[in-house]
Amino acid sequence: MAANALSRRSGAQNLQSGSLWRAFPQGLVAKIDGILSVKCETKPSIAIAGGGLMGRLLAWRLSLQDFDISLYEAGDLSTPSGACWAAAGMISPLSELVHSEREIYVLGVQSLELWPGWAEQLEAQSGRSVQFRSLGSVLVAHGQDKSELLQFQRELRGKLNGDISACVQPLGADELRQLEPALENFEQGLYLRGEGDINNRRLLPILLNVLRQQGVSLKERTPVSCHGYQLEHAEGRARFDCVIDCRGLGAREQIQGLRGVRGEVLVVQTREVALQRPVRLLHPRYKLYAVPRGDGHTVIGATEIESEDMSPISVRSTMELSSALYSLHPAFAEARIVETRVNCRPATMDNLPYVHCEPGLVRVNGLHRHGYLLAPALVANIEKLVTEQVLQVA
Amino acid sequence: MNEQLSLYGKTFTSRLLVGTALYPSPAVMRQSVAASGAEIITLSLRRQSPDQQQGKILWDYIRESGCQLLPNTAGCKTPREAIALAEMSREIFQTDWLKLEVIGDDYNLQPDPYGLIEAARELVGRGFKVLPYCTDDLVVCRKLLDVGCEVLMPWGAPIGTGQGLLNRYNLQTLRERLADVPLIIDAGIGAPSQAAEAMEMGFDAVLLNTAIAKAQNPALMAQSFKLAVEAGRNACVAGLMVKRQTASPSTPTLDMPFWQQVDKVPQD
């Protein structure tokens, strides 16, 4: 009954308010009944639709328990088609808080606590590193835009209700140079302690390998639609004890108000200049981040355009991103653009994640620009929710 | 006494126009538009590949606010670009209202007066109801009227700066010399007090976006601007007092000896 009440509240008609995920931090998940119908003697079966970051992480976490997991993906699993593959993999609850609601921060902090352990576990299972770092991040602004640094601190103080000295350290020129020798054109900046990033181009293939090891049944090029206890695909319907829908924009038909927000990313390579950690440039109109990856690569992004447009990167965006990068250090002018990435972030109208539960079905979507920031917290909560149901029934 | 705002034959109760960009989310945008009481809202198509209609979900969401839509040509640098985007906007949003922007400088997004007049002439000819975003130059404003604009939107300060009314002399001149033309202060307004000031000076309305969208509580800021615009308008209609050099007590201080009263007069 509680499940029905909650699913009405968080139903597809009402994406703006009362999405179930809000209940997660308060631990209300245990009150939802009837998600699973476990009556069988065999292992409970769970179908996960969508092989992006959410789908893979969920499949991995649940495969560590006594479940029979099937992962369905409409495209190829070797090159994920979603936003997770285009992303830069930043895990930055403080930087993001300024452009988003406090709930994003709360979930982000939970994720930051989970990532190091998960990264270690994945490395142990796969023998390969996912390159998780928590070296903090640096924010800079040019002289004429230095009010942006003040504005950032003011907004952060407002959103966190008070003292931010524990997590934000203003940097003078010398301190800035110590942290980031390349940023010699800047006189001041901010250091955000504890923020992290992960190399998504390693993480996602590693997750796939681990899923194979764990015996997860992988079904590529199989578009599905999700319903309570069942999946529908070209060949018919399949029954499961629980279905988890993580299809991102693929779930558009079943989640009203879901929209794609275009993001464009450049990857450049140079030996001449190197950053140590994610750096953000504050500017009145553009948002730029630069995330160093191995082998002289830097991922820079990201535009945010209100359009579900998957066409290649525009000249304008290329110019904006590259000129902002050039302004970080002139040596970037000779860097080579080795890759451009375009994708659309799935988002709800309140730009908050959407989690909806009904008997036999969990839908999670709308991670927007916060995939790596939110996924572990959401996964952990859904994992707990699904597992508790099983224990209850058992 | 406080008559309604009349633009291109349509009347409005609210004298605050707001933009729909830069909000933390579409939901916050719509709450803020509601809190502002605005009946006219601007929206931009520039980077959203309008020909493919891929931003449709959001456009429909904005349309549901029930406001008069005022599509803009933000980011266009030539008359040709602006005209093409205007035609596309008219088709998609089914309105011939247009906030015309032709930008001449990238950094402060200053209007290009020559391109603006050229584009305005063409668009008026094509039946658009053009509301041009212009500088506070009297001659430019006159030329825009000459080519058929019925409403002008001079800037207070460059877009997004929040600097308020930077050139009061020019703005006052516009108000006095173009007494019968609806003038809307567009851009540069950062605080409700600045919006109130524009209304006190006799401007017909105020258009803004950043100051609301970037506030920590956009809906509350929207409401603040609503009140400020109303207060400024009412003050203008009520008739502001003329500033005086000396302080004069509003109640006579009969019990105070006259030599002490003299001491109270500012010495400069």
mmCIF file of all heavy atoms in Angstrom, chain B residues 229-247:
data_model
loop_
_atom_site.group_PDB
_atom_site.id
_atom_site.type_symbol
_atom_site.label_atom_id
_atom_site.label_comp_id
_atom_site.label_asym_id
_atom_site.label_seq_id
_atom_site.Cartn_x
_atom_site.Cartn_y
_atom_site.Cartn_z
ATOM 1 N N VAL B 229 8.915 47.011 -9.127
ATOM 2 C CA VAL B 229 8.397 47.621 -10.353
ATOM 3 C C VAL B 229 7.055 48.293 -10.070
ATOM 4 O O VAL B 229 6.791 49.416 -10.512
ATOM 5 C CB VAL B 229 8.295 46.572 -11.484
ATOM 6 C CG1 VAL B 229 7.474 47.097 -12.656
ATOM 7 C CG2 VAL B 229 9.695 46.180 -11.953
ATOM 8 N N GLU B 230 6.237 47.627 -9.274
ATOM 9 C CA GLU B 230 4.944 48.236 -8.911
ATOM 10 C C GLU B 230 5.156 49.515 -8.110
ATOM 11 O O GLU B 230 4.524 50.540 -8.366
ATOM 12 C CB GLU B 230 4.102 47.238 -8.101
ATOM 13 C CG GLU B 230 3.486 46.156 -8.972
ATOM 14 C CD GLU B 230 2.844 45.020 -8.165
ATOM 15 O OE1 GLU B 230 2.741 45.158 -6.913
ATOM 16 O OE2 GLU B 230 2.473 44.014 -8.781
ATOM 17 N N ALA B 231 6.093 49.428 -7.143
ATOM 18 C CA ALA B 231 6.350 50.597 -6.288
ATOM 19 C C ALA B 231 6.865 51.761 -7.140
ATOM 20 O O ALA B 231 6.414 52.906 -6.998
ATOM 21 C CB ALA B 231 7.357 50.242 -5.205
ATOM 22 N N GLY B 232 7.811 51.467 -8.023
ATOM 23 C CA GLY B 232 8.389 52.517 -8.858
ATOM 24 C C GLY B 232 7.338 53.143 -9.763
ATOM 25 O O GLY B 232 7.283 54.358 -9.938
ATOM 26 N N ARG B 233 6.495 52.308 -10.337
ATOM 27 C CA ARG B 233 5.443 52.807 -11.226
ATOM 28 C C ARG B 233 4.457 53.687 -10.446
ATOM 29 O O ARG B 233 4.109 54.786 -10.877
ATOM 30 C CB ARG B 233 4.718 51.620 -11.869
ATOM 31 C CG ARG B 233 3.513 51.995 -12.705
ATOM 32 C CD ARG B 233 3.921 52.805 -13.918
ATOM 33 N NE ARG B 233 2.754 53.334 -14.617
ATOM 34 C CZ ARG B 233 2.824 54.136 -15.666
ATOM 35 N NH1 ARG B 233 4.010 54.521 -16.118
ATOM 36 N NH2 ARG B 233 1.734 54.561 -16.249
ATOM 37 N N ASN B 234 4.029 53.171 -9.301
ATOM 38 C CA ASN B 234 3.083 53.946 -8.493
ATOM 39 C C ASN B 234 3.682 55.286 -8.093
ATOM 40 O O ASN B 234 3.015 56.309 -8.115
ATOM 41 C CB ASN B 234 2.679 53.158 -7.235
ATOM 42 C CG ASN B 234 1.753 52.001 -7.590
ATOM 43 O OD1 ASN B 234 1.222 51.958 -8.700
ATOM 44 N ND2 ASN B 234 1.575 51.072 -6.665
ATOM 45 N N ALA B 235 4.963 55.257 -7.724
ATOM 46 C CA ALA B 235 5.629 56.486 -7.303
ATOM 47 C C ALA B 235 5.650 57.492 -8.452
ATOM 48 O O ALA B 235 5.426 58.690 -8.257
ATOM 49 C CB ALA B 235 7.045 56.166 -6.839
ATOM 50 N N CYS B 236 5.896 56.976 -9.645
ATOM 51 C CA CYS B 236 5.961 57.854 -10.817
ATOM 52 C C CYS B 236 4.599 58.509 -11.068
ATOM 53 O O CYS B 236 4.499 59.713 -11.298
ATOM 54 C CB CYS B 236 6.403 57.044 -12.023
ATOM 55 S SG CYS B 236 6.449 57.983 -13.532
ATOM 56 N N VAL B 237 3.551 57.685 -10.963
ATOM 57 C CA VAL B 237 2.203 58.197 -11.195
ATOM 58 C C VAL B 237 1.810 59.167 -10.083
ATOM 59 O O VAL B 237 1.209 60.218 -10.319
ATOM 60 C CB VAL B 237 1.193 57.025 -11.284
ATOM 61 C CG1 VAL B 237 -0.236 57.542 -11.346
ATOM 62 C CG2 VAL B 237 1.494 56.174 -12.512
ATOM 63 N N ALA B 238 2.205 58.828 -8.850
ATOM 64 C CA ALA B 238 1.836 59.649 -7.702
ATOM 65 C C ALA B 238 2.535 61.005 -7.739
ATOM 66 O O ALA B 238 2.034 61.991 -7.198
ATOM 67 C CB ALA B 238 2.172 58.917 -6.404
ATOM 68 N N GLY B 239 3.680 61.054 -8.374
ATOM 69 C CA GLY B 239 4.425 62.319 -8.464
ATOM 70 C C GLY B 239 5.478 62.409 -7.377
ATOM 71 O O GLY B 239 5.161 62.567 -6.197
ATOM 72 N N LEU B 240 6.729 62.301 -7.792
ATOM 73 C CA LEU B 240 7.819 62.340 -6.815
ATOM 74 C C LEU B 240 8.076 63.775 -6.398
ATOM 75 O O LEU B 240 7.954 64.696 -7.205
ATOM 76 C CB LEU B 240 9.084 61.761 -7.454
ATOM 77 C CG LEU B 240 9.086 60.252 -7.648
ATOM 78 C CD1 LEU B 240 10.026 59.878 -8.783
ATOM 79 C CD2 LEU B 240 9.483 59.543 -6.373
ATOM 80 N N MET B 241 8.444 63.919 -5.158
ATOM 81 C CA MET B 241 8.815 65.269 -4.713
ATOM 82 C C MET B 241 10.153 65.659 -5.343
ATOM 83 O O MET B 241 10.941 64.805 -5.756
ATOM 84 C CB MET B 241 8.915 65.323 -3.196
ATOM 85 C CG MET B 241 10.034 64.490 -2.616
ATOM 86 S SD MET B 241 10.302 64.800 -0.871
ATOM 87 C CE MET B 241 11.115 66.383 -0.923
ATOM 88 N N VAL B 242 10.379 66.951 -5.386
ATOM 89 C CA VAL B 242 11.652 67.442 -5.907
ATOM 90 C C VAL B 242 12.643 67.488 -4.750
ATOM 91 O O VAL B 242 12.298 67.885 -3.650
ATOM 92 C CB VAL B 242 11.465 68.851 -6.521
ATOM 93 C CG1 VAL B 242 12.799 69.395 -7.014
ATOM 94 C CG2 VAL B 242 10.460 68.780 -7.667
ATOM 95 N N LYS B 243 13.866 67.033 -4.995
ATOM 96 C CA LYS B 243 14.868 67.021 -3.925
ATOM 97 C C LYS B 243 15.193 68.448 -3.491
ATOM 98 O O LYS B 243 15.224 69.363 -4.315
ATOM 99 C CB LYS B 243 16.148 66.352 -4.431
ATOM 100 C CG LYS B 243 16.097 64.851 -4.382
ATOM 101 C CD LYS B 243 17.447 64.265 -4.758
ATOM 102 C CE LYS B 243 17.287 62.765 -5.015
ATOM 103 N NZ LYS B 243 18.431 62.222 -5.746
ATOM 104 N N ARG B 244 15.433 68.629 -2.147
ATOM 105 C CA ARG B 244 15.787 69.950 -1.640
ATOM 106 C C ARG B 244 17.183 69.941 -1.053
ATOM 107 O O ARG B 244 17.686 68.892 -0.669
ATOM 108 C CB ARG B 244 14.809 70.347 -0.532
ATOM 109 C CG ARG B 244 13.438 70.620 -1.056
ATOM 110 C CD ARG B 244 12.508 70.901 0.091
ATOM 111 N NE ARG B 244 11.168 71.204 -0.400
ATOM 112 C CZ ARG B 244 10.075 70.972 0.301
ATOM 113 N NH1 ARG B 244 10.161 70.447 1.506
ATOM 114 N NH2 ARG B 244 8.911 71.281 -0.204
ATOM 115 N N GLN B 245 17.766 71.098 -0.962
ATOM 116 C CA GLN B 245 19.115 71.203 -0.403
ATOM 117 C C GLN B 245 19.133 71.036 1.119
ATOM 118 O O GLN B 245 20.056 70.494 1.678
ATOM 119 C CB GLN B 245 19.718 72.576 -0.742
ATOM 120 C CG GLN B 245 20.403 72.612 -2.102
ATOM 121 C CD GLN B 245 21.342 71.435 -2.336
ATOM 122 O OE1 GLN B 245 20.982 70.460 -2.965
ATOM 123 N NE2 GLN B 245 22.552 71.527 -1.809
ATOM 124 N N THR B 246 18.129 71.572 1.800
ATOM 125 C CA THR B 246 18.171 71.557 3.269
ATOM 126 C C THR B 246 17.163 70.575 3.820
ATOM 127 O O THR B 246 16.119 70.328 3.210
ATOM 128 C CB THR B 246 17.834 72.948 3.814
ATOM 129 O OG1 THR B 246 16.574 73.335 3.281
ATOM 130 C CG2 THR B 246 18.906 73.946 3.424
ATOM 131 N N ALA B 247 17.506 70.052 4.983
ATOM 132 C CA ALA B 247 16.587 69.137 5.638
ATOM 133 C C ALA B 247 15.415 69.933 6.174
ATOM 134 O O ALA B 247 15.608 71.002 6.744
ATOM 135 C CB ALA B 247 17.302 68.427 6.778
#
